[in-house]
Amino acid sequence: MMHLNPLVLVGAVIGVITALLVAAYAAVKDKKTAMGFERNMEDGEIMRRLARYARPYLSKFLIVGVLMLFSIAYDIISPLIVGRIEELVAGEFDLRGLFLGVSVYAGVLVFSMGSTYLQAVILQRVGQRIISDLREDLFSHIESLAHEQLNEIPVGKLVTRVTNDTNAISMMFTNLLVQLTKNSFVILGILVAMLCLNYELTLMVLCFVPFIVIFTVIFRKFSRRANRKLKNATTDINTYLSENLSGIKVTQIFGREDEKMEDFRQKSQKLARANQEQIFVFSVFRPLVYMLYVSSILCLFYLGGMGHLNNISFLGQTISSGTIVTFYMYISKFFTPIQNLAEQFNWLQSALASAEKVFSIMDIQPRMQDAPDAIELNEVKGEIEFRDVWFSYVPGEWVLQGVSFHVYPKQTVAFVGATGSGKSTILKTIAGLLTSHTGSIEFLGQRLGGTPAHKIITKGLALVPEGRQIFLQMSVEENLEMGAYTKPGSGVAADLDHIYELFPRLKERQRQTAGTLSGGEQQMLAMGRA
């Protein structure tokens, strides 16, 4: 009975830790909403949508799969070679056999390293192409959203989706999926090799597998919660920065730096707590897996040592020194992928959370779309007619109530009224920026809103917004080209001479960025662009 004490002690420690983890899992299982477990999309749905972007590069992934199998050979074969070398050294020494074993080991290692290098190069190229396609689709979709839809989404949130979230998805294609697959094959291959080598010691290793599964399931829940909190906190702070950095002059004018700093500190601390929670979850799981690894090594030395020293056989299997060395390496290679799975699963949860947020933007249906039979006018004369148009930003609070008027070609019309009476709203409905109105708006006899109108608007109307809304990082000339019918860089500068005649100051600042212009010059630029 005394010989069983080490095994009993190991089992007792693992059992107590498992019981504590299960209790913690049960304590939060029924609090998914409060703890941040909720998901709007299933992982399978997210993976299917991402697979559509990977499908054009299927041949590249097949090549990576073949290279991955070659790189796995080292993990499977190397312990057998080392075990054979151990038996040569411990038994009848054969120098030629030793050289042969070392040469084979070196060859397998070099071959595996070469395969891993080629695999990494291909994945990086393919992964960046996939993310570029996804990022371009996302940006294109954002451009298609109606004006009122864009007003409902903070700019910082959109920036986070296009940059941070797509970068997290990039990690999944360039590393995660292949490493997860490779680790799965390594674990399976090692199990098969161990079974062929020694039943007894393999059964001992398999006794730890149920605990690994339990730890992984528990970690998965807490990791998902931590990643979702981190993503939300990152979005919040990016949104806050986008809004407040663009309006920092107003903050300085009214002396509100301290209040804004306090708001930012709270959001920064929230992000820090989310990072700490993610690190804590990860720091608990990996040592637990390492504990199982150390426990299995102790059991190996105990069972293997007792069997070898006492010449004990089990199920017809004998244990030699070479077998113990081989199993020692196999157990290390068995638990190393499992330990890596913790980090890889952490990144996978981050990528899936990011993908869900990206697809939540792409699932927003544009409220204004060109109809299949939309037309384009080659000549625009400027006739506009409103017939009983109603519009409200808030349901029940009408800004336009039964507005009707007719503007004839070459006629100049001014709308005068109190603040909030609907002057800007009328212009925005004509420009197609506001679409959820009732009544009829006709442009040269073609009805706008609900029928093919959008293309007419973009080529037949120019708008000078109240906030100027020029591109500060673009040059004066590039800003002016935004209002041209041809693409930038196609020789339209020669057609802008009449604008420089009206605004000679712009010609003097032509090669400067718009951000260096004064407020009045920026207003001139917006008018010249129109």
Side-chain angles (χ1 to χ4, degrees), residues 44-94:
E45 178 186 356
I46 296 174
M47 293 300 296
R48 283 192 297 271
R49 296 183 67 168
L50 289 174
R52 290 200 291 267
Y53 289 91
R55 193 171 295 121
Y57 308 98
L58 181 59
S59 59
K60 301 292 185 181
F61 283 108
L62 291 177
I63 295 175
V64 169
V66 174
L67 293 173
M68 179 187 66
L69 294 177
F70 289 150
S71 64
I72 290 175
Y74 170 76
D75 295 308
I76 306 299
I77 298 175
S78 58
L80 295 174
I81 299 175
V82 174
R84 176 59 179 167
I85 294 175
E86 160 64 22
E87 292 182 349
L88 286 175
V89 174
E92 297 181 2
F93 183 75
D94 182 3

Side-chain angles (χ1 to χ4, degrees), residues 379-415:
E379 184 179 3
V380 179
K381 298 181 180 180
E383 183 178 1
I384 303 172
E385 183 176 4
F386 271 48
R387 296 179 181 175
D388 192 29
V389 175
W390 292 68
F391 178 84
S392 66
Y393 294 96
V394 180
E397 299 181 10
W398 297 102
V399 178
L400 302 181
Q401 304 182 51
V403 176
S404 299
F405 61 84
H406 195 139
V407 179
Y408 295 93
K410 298 184 179 181
Q411 183 180 13
T412 300
V413 176
F415 296 95

Side-chain angles (χ1 to χ4, degrees), residues 416-489:
V416 181
T419 301
S421 60
K423 303 183 298 296
S424 298
T425 301
I426 290 176
L427 294 179
K428 289 178 180 179
T429 54
I430 295 174
L433 300 180
L434 301 176
T435 59
S436 54
H437 57 75
T438 61
S440 173
I441 302 176
E442 293 189 358
F443 193 80
L444 281 177
Q446 300 294 328
R447 181 173 177 174
L448 311 186
T451 56
H454 196 62
K455 290 184 179 179
I456 302 175
I457 297 168
T458 56
K459 289 201 172 184
L461 190 79
L463 179 65
V464 180
E466 294 171 301
R468 295 190 293 275
Q469 295 181 3
I470 63 175
F471 296 90
L472 299 180
Q473 299 303 317
M474 294 171 60
S475 68
V476 171
E477 183 174 333
E478 289 172 333
N479 268 279
L480 292 174
E481 288 179 349
M482 291 291 294
Y485 290 164
T486 53
K487 295 182 179 179

Side-chain angles (χ1 to χ4, degrees), residues 16-234:
V16 170
I17 294 176
T18 303
L20 292 175
L21 290 176
V22 172
Y25 174 81
V28 300
K29 186 176 181 181
D30 296 328
K31 303 178 182 178
K32 293 185 177 181
T33 302
M35 301 297 282
F37 281 18
E38 70 279 8
R39 291 290 298 264
N40 297 322
M41 294 185 187
E42 296 293 333
D43 291 350
E45 178 186 356
I46 296 174
M47 293 300 296
R48 283 192 297 271
R49 296 183 67 168
L50 289 174
R52 290 200 291 267
Y53 289 91
R55 193 171 295 121
Y57 308 98
L58 181 59
S59 59
K60 301 292 185 181
F61 283 108
L62 291 177
I63 295 175
V64 169
V66 174
L67 293 173
M68 179 187 66
L69 294 177
F70 289 150
S71 64
I72 290 175
Y74 170 76
D75 295 308
I76 306 299
I77 298 175
S78 58
L80 295 174
I81 299 175
V82 174
R84 176 59 179 167
I85 294 175
E86 160 64 22
E87 292 182 349
L88 286 175
V89 174
E92 297 181 2
F93 183 75
D94 182 3
L95 183 61
R96 182 177 179 181
L98 178 63
F99 285 157
L100 178 61
V102 172
S103 299
V104 172
Y105 184 92
V108 173
L109 176 61
V110 172
F111 190 74
S112 175
M113 292 175 61
S115 300
T116 302
Y117 170 76
L118 292 176
Q119 169 186 309
V121 171
I122 296 174
L123 280 177
Q124 286 296 327
R125 291 179 178 176
V126 172
Q128 293 306 320
R129 290 175 184 173
I130 292 174
I131 296 306
S132 294
D133 294 340
L134 177 61
R135 189 180 292 120
E136 290 170 8
D137 284 352
L138 177 59
F139 184 78
S140 176
H141 183 76
I142 292 173
E143 286 185 317
S144 70
L145 298 179
H147 184 73
E148 60 255 47
Q149 290 177 294
L150 294 174
N151 286 337
E152 297 169 358
I153 308 174
V155 175
K157 183 176 182 179
L158 296 177
V159 172
T160 302
R161 298 295 171 264
V162 178
T163 55
N164 295 39
D165 289 326
T166 53
N167 287 335
I169 300 172
S170 175
M171 176 67 72
M172 183 172 66
F173 284 109
T174 57
N175 186 24
L176 275 177
L177 294 180
V178 171
Q179 288 300 321
L180 286 170
T181 305
K182 177 182 178 180
N183 288 334
S184 300
F185 278 110
V186 167
I187 293 172
L188 180 62
I190 288 175
L191 283 176
V192 172
M194 289 192 298
L195 283 170
C196 295
L197 186 63
N198 189 283
Y199 297 109
E200 178 186 5
L201 297 180
T202 303
L203 291 174
M204 180 271 296
V205 174
L206 290 177
C207 290
F208 293 90
V209 172
F211 298 100
I212 296 174
V213 173
I214 293 174
F215 292 170
T216 302
V217 170
I218 295 174
F219 169 76
R220 181 175 182 268
K221 292 293 184 182
F222 286 97
S223 176
R224 173 176 289 182
R225 178 188 66 175
N227 274 287
R228 185 166 294 274
K229 284 186 176 181
L230 181 60
K231 291 296 179 183
N232 292 336
T234 301

